[in-house]
Amino acid sequence: MTRESRDAVLGALRRATGRDSNAAAAAASVGDRLARHARNTIPARGQRDRRGRLDLFVEQAEAVDATVALVSGAADVPGAVADYLRGENLPTRLRMAPDPKLDAYPWDEAPLLDIEHGKGEASDTVAVTGAFAAIAETGTLMLVSGPETPTTLNFLPDAHIVVVRAADMVACYEDGWDRLRATGRMPRTVNFITGPSRSADIEQTLQLGAHGPRWLHIVLVGDGPGEVEGSDG
Amino acid sequence: MSADAPTSHRFPENARAALADETLQRSLASAKVGFRVRRSEAAARLPEFEILRDEARDIKNHVLAHLDLYLEAFETRVTERGGHVHWARDAAEARGAVLAICRAAGARTVTKGKSMISEEIGLNAFLEENGIEPVETDLGEYIIQLRHEAPSHIIAPAFHVPKAEVAATFRKHHTALDPARLLEQPRQLLEEARGVLRDRFLAADVGITGANFLIAETGATVIVTNEGNGDLTQTLPRVHIVVASLEKVVPTLEDASTILRVLARSATGQEFTSYTTFSTGPRRGEDLDGPHEFHVVLLDNGRSDLVGTELQDVLRCIRCGACMNHCPVFGVIGGHAYGWVYPGPIGAVLSPSLIGVEEAHHLPSASTFCGRCESVCPMRIPLPALMRHLREREFEKKIPPATQRWGLRIWAFLAKRPRLYRLATAVPLRLLGRLGRRSGRFRSLPMAGGWTSQRDLPAPQGPSFQSLWDRAGGRREKPV
Amino acid sequence: MTDARPNVALFVTCLVDLFRPAVGFAAAKLLEDAGCTVTVPRSQTCCGQPAYNSGDRADAAAIVRRTLPALEPFDHVVAPSGSCAAMLRLHWPALVADEPDYADRAAAVAARTWELTAFLTDVCGLDSVDAAYDGVAAYHDSCSGLRELGVREQPRRLLRGIAGLTVKDLGAPEECCGFGGLFAVKYPDISGRMVSDKADDIEASGADTLLAGDLGCLMNMAGRLKRRGSAIRVRHVAEVLAGATGAAPPIGEGES
């Protein structure tokens, strides 16, 4: 059935587009477009220096109900996570992505945190993951799936804490795609996450935490003193 | 529910019922204000918004002119990544393809992300008939599924249901929960649905989503949601099925990014939707999660007939809902009156194109051509022009009632003959002018019931302007 | 504007011709006062929208071919209606685009066709007119003028100079009044609700007068306001701008 249907649909499209008369030129045009993946207009908004992008990211993420903590270096990350959980009255038991990038942080220095590694489970309340990139334009996090970065952590827990390096801050989605192409692999899943889960399906009343996390907390990690702490937010 | 036969041919009756439904009227009044303000503010915050609309339009026009080639490229990439593409000429083939995949997976329940294509092909009823339980997971879709209703809006499917009715629906269906529980606030309703659906997500054998885009460059399918339900739907079960129509394909990730910039702003006024997810094939070898199988069902269902025609522009639609949010007709009758899956201005063009002008002939006529839909459409679809084109098809097929067609005939006959026109109008005008002079209006008039059922008819002054101009010695070109 | 008085054809529109000649005279006076020589081509009847919007493209095109020659000799064509002006400006060329004898001619006339207030301000360069009106007016933007021709500021600019007049915006200024030509009689229930909502908006504005640039919308709104017993006076904007409100009672009101 599908073979016959495929031929019928594509045949109809070829007739409608007059493909017989322009096949070579059309194929070249499509091939070129797919190979070049040229950029269209990029909003000027994100085209700032590194510091400006950080400020924009924080502003945009907070506008969509994410919270952001700015820390000057890797050493401060575990403490920032612990502080956040305490402040929100969330449990200290957390599920962490088995991501070597996260191993760079000295979790032993936050002994109250009860850390398990693995993919997300139904019983998880808090997840901690890294991010492939952060996109200043709209305060968006870009996460990719892989053995070390399971997607379920992004959606099953009530609270999602994302630790992202300031060095991974890019201006726009297109910068994110270029970085991803540079890795040479296309993961099963790319998640653009902009704020926590929400729904306005009941009487147009916006509520957070529909099916995904109700809390999205972003720990933004600088490369040293002074890089991020003075930032707005 | 949505697999029911369309009722578009009963549009006037449907509309009357909607106008008499006070609950619906309240929902409509509050929804439209919010949508309009948010869209307008979001557009104003992005200086490049209008340029992006132009580019988004151009991208889709380019795709539609090369649709066969982009679909082949998409299919190749999906297959390379270990996924499967199933081509479906019509709704029945698409349903059959989904069922076959579900059966092969031994599925008993499937979770579903919000998908208009699923509505279009009547998938839920079909799965139920075949012993498979479909569970809608978008909060609004879940509510209307429990109520056995169709969506009344493409992005806010349950906006017509007030919270008290949601609560009643939940009490009726969630019988395992404490009957004494409080269900008054939207928060309580949301928490209950989250809890109930979480179990369904974990138990489902297959997850079915739609797609906002298909990326030819990578073979990715893209969903855009605020709730995260689509992600749980497509990540947890063993099998992920995407149902999507042909025209969803775009060339590259860059092209999708451009259109995404106008999508959320036009739909909800958000800068970006909470979750935009690109899925490419099944889970990779070492992945800890994700589906083991990935299928894309590509639906034509009449769309290839539109390519290369005057109606092709409608295929640029990205289902943001802005046209209905700004439509003054939708604003007073809501979505159900349109009688099929797609309401509002986009439905007025899409429905006759997909289910025929005979069934849906009212829809393109039920517009004042106020043009607001076109002015907000992120893809710059000339909706009034397309509706007018459909009216021309209806006129050619003699679908409007004979009285209307003859009235128009007679009027046109006169309008082409100025002297006869003036002769024919002079006497009735003078008569009406005299009859109406004292009150200035008529409460009713023979043959004007359509007008006077709703409003008085202001009386003519009496003589025509043309006759008075002559009387006043006004300048004329040399007499004809 | 050059020294010579431009020759303007007044495209009076079928509704003004049949229902409210006062608007035609007001438009002619405004144009004369602005320095134009005004002619009313005799062989005009209607712009063709009833046929065009009903799917009767053949008759609409026939009306274009029939009317075009009468408008061609003039420097400008001006209509006291955004809807009819938009028909000439945007849709006439499309209707005869495939007819070599008419395509260029329709495009040429279209380029010289204007809605009245847009012509007075944008072409004649008027900033104000000499007239007075005692009242508070709500101004309704008709959809075609607003969205097809971009007429929004022009009538307001001229009204600002009217002695004694205050102009208010409606709460939902971009909302259609529900007229839509034959829509109003084909779908009376829907149209009735739309014009009812519009009447609510007009009354809530606190205005005692309703002005607009299109007689179809005005007859619809006046008809609804009068049906519910409203005292709001409804007039075409040209009547007020020309200081010609003495020529006829407000729309839908009698002489008594």
Side-chain angles (χ1 to χ4, degrees), chain A residues 5-6 19 41 44-45 137 152 174 181 186 188 190 192 194 197-198 201 203 207-208 211-212, chain B residues 48 55 65 68 75 93 137 140 163 187 194 198 226-227 254 261 271 274 276 278 280-281 284 289:
Chain A
S5 304
R6 180 184 189 278
R19 188 64 65 232
T41 292
R45 177 197 278 183
E137 183 178 342
T152 37
E174 288 80 351
R181 288 190 186 103
M186 183 56 63
R188 146 72 190 170
V190 177
F192 281 172
T194 312
S197 161
R198 66 197 60 218
D201 273 349
E203 293 196 345
Q207 300 174 86
L208 301 182
H211 288 296
Chain B
E48 296 89 351
E55 292 182 347
D68 53 330
E75 180 188 38
E93 288 191 357
T137 62
K163 63 184 179 192
R187 180 87 238 159
R194 179 183 169 110
R198 184 54 71 95
N226 273 311
E227 297 183 4
E254 278 72 10
R261 286 190 176 97
E271 293 288 308
S274 299
T276 300
F278 298 72
T280 317
R284 308 291 186 255
D289 53 21

Side-chain angles (χ1 to χ4, degrees), chain C residues 21 47-48 109 190 201 221 236 243:
Chain C
C47 65
V109 166
I190 301 172
D201 195 2
M221 294 183 287
H236 192 284

Side-chain angles (χ1 to χ4, degrees), chain B residues 29-42:
Chain B
S30 72
K32 74 178 163 196
V33 175
F35 274 127
R36 291 174 184 184
V37 169
R38 287 192 288 273
R39 184 244 170 226
S40 144
E41 289 174 350

Side-chain angles (χ1 to χ4, degrees), chain A residues 33 35-40, chain B residues 252 254-255:
Chain A
R33 183 152 184 149
R36 283 196 307 122
H37 41 77
R39 294 181 171 200
N40 304 299
Chain B
T252 62
E254 278 72 10
D255 294 322

